[in-house]
Structures are given as C-alpha cells and as structure tokens.
C-alpha cells in the first residue's frame, strides 16, 4: 500500500476554543501540514470568529478580525489546504449560551451546553451564525454544523411536554433540528453540503433515520479516537448509514486532545494505533467509500475545561499519523519522512527536552512544555516531600510555628534557591516562545495551570525559611515610668 491511501481528503482539525494560534504561526505551520500530507483544514472557530451585530458579544477578547480570516484562507489556499468551517448548532453551545442574552434558549436552564430546539429563536440564532461564517468563506464546499454530544436533550420543560405526545421521541427531536439547520444551509448556499458528527445518529432505528429526510441533506462524520476501536462495528455502522440513504461518509480520528483533558504531550503510539485501525475500516470497503478523514486535534474537551495539548506539542503526532495514512502503515519510509520534515534524528527515541530536538515551527515550545510536564512538579515534590532535611527538620508543623535548627537552613535554602532559579529561567524562555505563537490569555492560562502551582510551593518554602532565618526583632521595651517629683501637675 506504500504511496497510496483510501482517504483522498485528509483534513487537520484546528480547534480554536482554546489557545488559538496567531495568524503568524499558522503562516509557518500550514506549509508543514501540506508537506506532511494534509490537503484540508477543519476550522472550528467558536468564539474566535468575528461575529457582527447582535452576535458580536460572542467574540473572544482576541478573536480574529475579518481581515485575519481572509488571510488564513489565503494562506490555506497557497498551501493547497481546502478549508471547511465548523459552527456548532445544537450541542457544545456553551460559548453562546453562557451569555445572559441567550441563556433563555438553553434546553435545560442551568446548563449552557445544549440549544432548545423548540424555540423559533434558536434556529434564527444558529442561522445567523451560519450566514456570517459562510459570508467570510465564499469558496466553501462543505460546512460542518457539529450536532455532537447533545447532552440533556429532551429534559427541558418544552421537550418533556413534546415527548408526551404519541410517536414523539428524542431521536425524532434531534433529527428535526438537524434537518432544519441543514435546510437553512442549503437554502442560503445550495453549493454547500453540511457535515455532522455521527454520535447522535448511531443508535437511531434505521427506518426512523431513513424517513427523516436527513440523509439527503447531510454527510455524517464517523468519529472514534480510541486506540482499540471496533473495526467490525464501524464497518457495520457504515453499512447502516448507506442503507438509510447517506450518499457519502467521512471518518474522524485524533492526533491530540483525546487521551485526557489536561494532557500536555500526546502519546504518539496511541494515536498511531487509532489511525491503523481507521485504515482497516477503510480497507474493508470499496475504494472511496469514505470521502475523507478528519484528524481532530481538540484543544479543550469543552468550552469550560482546561487546555490539553498545545498545537506545537501535537505536531510530531500529527506528522506520524498523516504519514501513516499516506504509506498504509508506519514503516521505515514513513518514519524517515517524518524525521526529515521535523528535523528530528529519531522519532521514537527523541528527547524533546534536548536542545535542538526538532526544527519545525514551535519545536522549542514542544521541548519546553515537555520539560515542564515531565520534571517541574516531580522536582519540586522531590525537594518538599523527599528531601530528608525538609521532611525531618522543616515539616508543615515546623513551618507553621517557624521552628528550625539554624544549621538546617543552610542545608535546605541553597537547594531550593537553585531549583527555583533553574525553573524560573526555563519558564521565562517558555513564556517568550508561547507569546510568539499564542495570545496573552492562552499564555496566562497555560502557565497558571501547569507552572505556577509548583513554583508557588517552592516560593512559599523559601519565604518560610526566610522568616525563620531572619526572625522579626523584638518589640522595643516600654518607656520608663515618669518620676513623680518631676511631674509638675502633681506639685502642691
């Protein structure tokens, strides 16, 4: 299979709901995407899109401007990367429904994740979002409208009333909203085909799905990020979708953002196995049975979760997965191509913390992030919890009471100062590197989550040592009592 792939379209997913890259970084990384074998992008804008009018409040502080969106599309075109924009229209609507102006459109009042499909205003809202996105993407052939993980559907008051009517079900409710959204897309731009994530469709009865009209309007994206996905089960699911009338199907794998909400560096072997099994799924069907594959790179699990692997940290994993898809496996040729394009001497044995490990855009971020994730917390733990002088002579009990044998300060303080200086230098270097690729809020968030807790523990230890080593001077003695013989007020 070397040199061939069953996936004629290979899209890299840019999840912009966390740590969105600056356009300057995208200009550096897009040529690498193309060289590695990608020919498209799925751009999930969320709050980075420059919405206008009543939707302007959806914008993040550092949202792209319309001119920046045009520049991103221009850069993608220069590198032969077809862009498919993604707009959430049902589930994962936190970035919209968290705002007071739209909170009344929640399916369940306290939870901002799912849109109430019964309100006419709900369809008007997502319709307006779609229209603005399509306006800035005049050449788009597809628009991804999300529709995954529609949690709590059917649990809102309007839904409960609706479900009491005979023959109504949550499946029917879901399909009705999908159909309305897809119909809006086709009315506004007949040349654009909507894509949807497939998880809300998987368990629906075939007759209900076939009769809904949805298969004639959308193309499902079958997603599974597991290293041990059920190949046979996926093939059966594809057959079900074809029987229901869907003309084309897509696959979705993952190169990062799928192995833990706070993962710092992707486990490459996990993601390679995921792609090997997607190749098996594709290989079990006739050629071109899948329109393409989307290599997802989630940046948050949802709008409110922490950041997972930053894009530069995921590049080696993305490179390996793309080359595996092109070569039909991760053989010597695929590995050599990755190492050559990334400037890495040995992908499997590489030490990302070593200076010069990689020459791709953001390789310095990967090296420094790896240092922090592997060694910062463990080195501070080793000092605070494994150093005999600290645990034996400056325990929490001693620190609260500011007690220490004076000689022990000399055993603890130099080691703590050295460790703090070492990490402070590295963190300053990382902060500078992050600022070149990301906006200030993302830099602040990543450092606050991954760096500050450990450094603050170290600084607190040094502060306590400082207070013990230089105790506060005793208060001055009270003034002597005034002599009665010199108090004129008492003279007779």
């Amino acid at each position: 299979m070397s040199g061939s792939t069953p996936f004629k379209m290979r899209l890299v997913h840019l999840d912009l709901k966390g740590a969105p890259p600056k356009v300057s970084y995208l200009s550096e990384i897009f040529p690498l995407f193309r060289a590695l074998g990608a020919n498209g992008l799925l751009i999930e804008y969320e709050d980075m899109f420059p919405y206008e009018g009543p939707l302007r409040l959806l914008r993040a502080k550092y949202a792209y401007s319309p001119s920046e969106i045009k520049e991103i599309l221009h850069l993608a075109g220069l590198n032969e990367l077809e862009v498919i924009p993604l707009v959430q229209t049902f589930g994962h609507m936190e970035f919209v429904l968290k705002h007071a102006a739209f909170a009344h459109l929640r399916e369940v009042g306290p939870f901002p994740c799912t849109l109430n499909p019964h309100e006419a205003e709900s369809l008007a809202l997502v319709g307006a979002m779609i229209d603005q996105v399509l306006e800035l993407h005049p050449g788009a052939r597809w628009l991804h409208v999300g529709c995954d993980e529609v949690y709590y559907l059917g649990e809102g008051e309007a839904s409960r009333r609706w479900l009491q009517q005979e023959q109504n079900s949550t499946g029917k409710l879901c399909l009705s909203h999908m159909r309305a959204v897809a119909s809006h897309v086709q009315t506004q731009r007949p040349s654009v085909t909507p894509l949807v994530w497939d998880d809300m469709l998987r368990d629906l009865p075939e007759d209900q799905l076939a009769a809904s009209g949805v298969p004639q309007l959308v193309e499902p994206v079958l997603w599974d990020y597991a290293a041990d996905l059920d190949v046979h089960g996926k093939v059966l699911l594809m057959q079900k979708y074809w029987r229901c009338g869907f003309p084309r199907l897509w696959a979705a794998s993952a190169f990062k953002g799928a192995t833990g909400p706070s993962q710092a560096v992707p486990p490459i072997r996990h993601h390679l196995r995921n792609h090997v099994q997607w190749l098996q799924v594709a290989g079990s069907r006739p050629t071109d049975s899948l329109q393409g594959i989307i290599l997802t790179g989630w940046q948050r699990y949802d709008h409110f979760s922490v950041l997972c692997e930053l894009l530069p940290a995921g590049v080696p994993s993305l490179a390996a997965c793309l080359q595996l898809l092109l070569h039909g496996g991760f053989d010597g040729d695929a590995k050599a191509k990755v190492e050559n394009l990334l400037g890495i001497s040995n992908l499997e044995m590489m030490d990302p913390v070593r200076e010069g490990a990689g020459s791709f855009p953001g390789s310095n971020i990967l090296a420094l992030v790896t240092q922090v994730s592997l060694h910062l917390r463990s080195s501070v733990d080793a000092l605070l919890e494994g150093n005999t002088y600290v645990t034996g002579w400056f325990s929490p009990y001693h620190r609260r009471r500011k007690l220490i044998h004076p000689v022990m300060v000399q055993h603890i303080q130099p080691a703590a100062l050295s460790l703090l200086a070492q990490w402070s230098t590295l963190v300053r270097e990382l902060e500078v590197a992050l600022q070149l690729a990301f906006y200030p809020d993302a830099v602040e968030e990543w450092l606050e989550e991954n760096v500050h807790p450990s450094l603050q523990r170290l600084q607190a230890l040094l502060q306590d040592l400082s207070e013990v080593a230089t105790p506060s001077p005793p208060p001055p003695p009270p003034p002597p009592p005034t002599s009665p013989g010199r108090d004129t007020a008492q003279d007779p």
Side-chain angles (χ1 to χ4, degrees):
M1 274 186 76
S2 180
S4 64
T5 176
F7 299 107
K8 64 181 180 181
M9 295 193 69
R10 299 167 300 281
L11 280 71
V12 178
H13 172 225
L14 297 176
D15 179 18
L16 304 183
K17 64 176 173 282
K22 292 181 176 179
V23 178
S24 56
Y25 182 72
L26 295 178
S27 71
E28 297 179 54
I29 204 71
F30 282 0
L32 179 61
F33 287 173
R34 180 57 182 164
L36 288 167
N39 56 12
L41 301 169
L42 178 69
I43 304 183
E44 184 164 354
Y45 288 108
E46 209 181 61
D47 55 6
M48 285 301 289
F49 188 81
Y51 289 107
E52 297 286 1
L55 300 180
R56 191 180 181 89
L57 61 83
L58 303 182
R59 290 187 184 189
K61 181 177 182 179
Y62 298 100
Y64 297 140
S65 66
S67 62
E68 286 178 313
I69 298 290
K70 292 174 183 176
E71 177 64 12
I72 291 170
L73 298 179
H74 173 67
L75 293 168
L78 289 178
N79 292 284
E80 300 179 303
L81 298 169
E82 179 160 3
V83 173
I84 299 177
L86 187 153
V87 184
Q88 287 288 4
T89 59
F90 205 178
H92 286 294
M93 287 282 284
E94 296 94 342
F95 82 103
V96 178
L97 299 178
K98 71 178 183 180
H99 295 285
F102 299 114
H104 64 288
L105 297 179
R106 298 173 180 180
E107 167 71 348
V108 177
F111 306 138
C113 46
T114 297
L115 190 69
N116 179 349
H118 301 279
E119 294 285 348
E121 192 180 344
S122 293
L123 186 60
L125 168 65
V126 296
M129 292 165 60
I130 287 169
D131 293 349
Q132 291 193 25
V133 170
L134 286 177
E135 185 178 356
L136 281 183
H137 295 76
R141 293 195 291 166
W142 290 275
L143 173 71
H144 202 311
V145 295
C147 295
D148 60 315
E149 297 179 335
V150 188
Y151 298 133
Y152 311 112
L153 181 64
E155 296 183 22
E157 184 180 345
S159 288
R160 288 199 301 269
R161 291 196 303 268
W162 186 84
L163 289 171
Q164 289 174 355
Q165 300 174 35
E166 191 176 355
Q167 296 185 336
N168 284 349
S169 65
T170 54
K172 183 178 179 181
L173 181 58
C174 181
L175 291 168
S176 174
H177 185 72
M178 278 190 190
R179 184 173 61 247
V181 171
S183 296
H184 178 87
V185 174
Q186 299 232 304
T187 299
Q188 295 300 111
R189 189 84 66 82
S191 60
V192 172
T193 301
L195 304 182
V196 297
W197 300 117
D198 85 306
D199 52 287
M200 298 301 293
L201 306 175
R202 293 171 190 164
D203 298 326
L204 296 181
E206 284 189 33
D207 56 348
Q208 184 182 49
L209 193 50
S212 68
V214 169
Q216 288 71 47
L217 294 171
V218 308
E219 296 177 3
V221 183
L222 289 73
W223 61 271
D224 197 320
Y225 314 142
D228 56 350
L229 69 85
D230 180 359
V231 172
H232 180 63
K234 284 288 177 291
V235 173
L236 293 178
L237 185 58
M238 291 166 63
Q239 292 172 345
K240 170 185 173 177
Y241 288 152
W242 281 319
R243 288 194 300 269
C244 291
F246 289 104
R248 282 177 297 276
L249 307 175
W250 298 66
S253 57
F255 71 91
K256 77 176 187 75
T259 57
S262 59
Q263 186 85 31
V265 180
I268 295 178
R269 292 185 186 278
H270 171 102
H271 296 295
L272 284 175
R273 285 184 59 197
N274 175 244
H275 286 80
V276 165
Q277 290 172 325
W278 270 116
L279 279 177
Q280 293 173 2
V281 172
S284 68
R285 305 302 306 155
T287 305
D288 296 333
S289 59
L290 287 166
Q291 178 76 17
I293 186 167
I294 298 167
L295 291 85
T296 63
W298 299 101
Q299 195 54 76
R300 299 187 196 277
Y301 274 32
D302 66 42
H303 184 80
F304 291 104
S305 66
V306 299
L307 294 170
C308 41
E309 305 100 312
L310 298 172
L311 180 57
V315 168
S317 176
L318 173 64
C321 293
L322 280 168
Q323 283 296 299
L324 180 148
L325 293 176
L326 288 179
H327 287 79
F330 199 63
D331 56 14
D333 289 343
K335 183 170 176 288
K337 184 72 175 293
V338 169
E339 291 167 352
N340 178 57
L341 288 170
L342 301 188
I344 294 171
S345 59
N346 191 310
L347 180 67
E348 291 180 348
M349 303 302 292
M350 76 170 181
D351 179 4
V353 305
R354 176 174 52 81
E355 184 178 356
S359 58
F360 61 90
S363 57
N364 56 338
I365 292 176
L366 170 59
L368 295 164
V369 162
T370 304
Q371 280 255 41
V372 168
S373 64
L374 292 182
H375 303 299
L376 173 56
R377 181 175 177 178
S378 61
S379 67
V380 174
D381 286 348
L383 179 68
L384 296 181
E385 300 168 16
N387 181 295
T388 302
Y389 297 116
V390 175
T391 58
W393 279 270
F394 205 43
S395 69
Y397 175 90
H398 294 87
R399 290 175 65 176
R400 283 194 298 271
R401 290 161 178 80
K402 303 192 184 312
L403 299 173
I404 194 170
H405 191 300
V407 75
M408 290 303 165
V409 176
Q410 300 172 34
H411 284 291
I412 299 170
Q413 197 171 50
L417 285 170
S418 174
L419 190 60
L420 181 61
Q422 171 193 333
W423 281 114
S424 295
T425 299
L426 185 144
V427 168
R428 282 193 295 271
E429 185 181 350
L430 173 58
E431 187 170 4
V432 169
L434 289 173
Q435 287 170 343
L436 291 175
F438 300 105
Y439 296 97
D441 55 350
V443 177
E444 178 185 18
E445 180 180 353
W446 199 92
L447 294 176
E448 198 167 312
E449 288 282 350
N450 297 282
V451 172
H452 293 175
S454 292
L455 291 190
Q456 286 166 357
R457 293 178 69 208
L458 200 51
Q459 290 162 340
L461 173 72
L462 283 163
Q463 178 65 29
D464 288 350
L465 279 172
S466 175
E467 292 176 4
V468 172
T470 56
S472 302
T482 305
S483 171
R486 298 185 61 178
D487 189 344
T488 55
Q490 296 183 14
D491 288 346

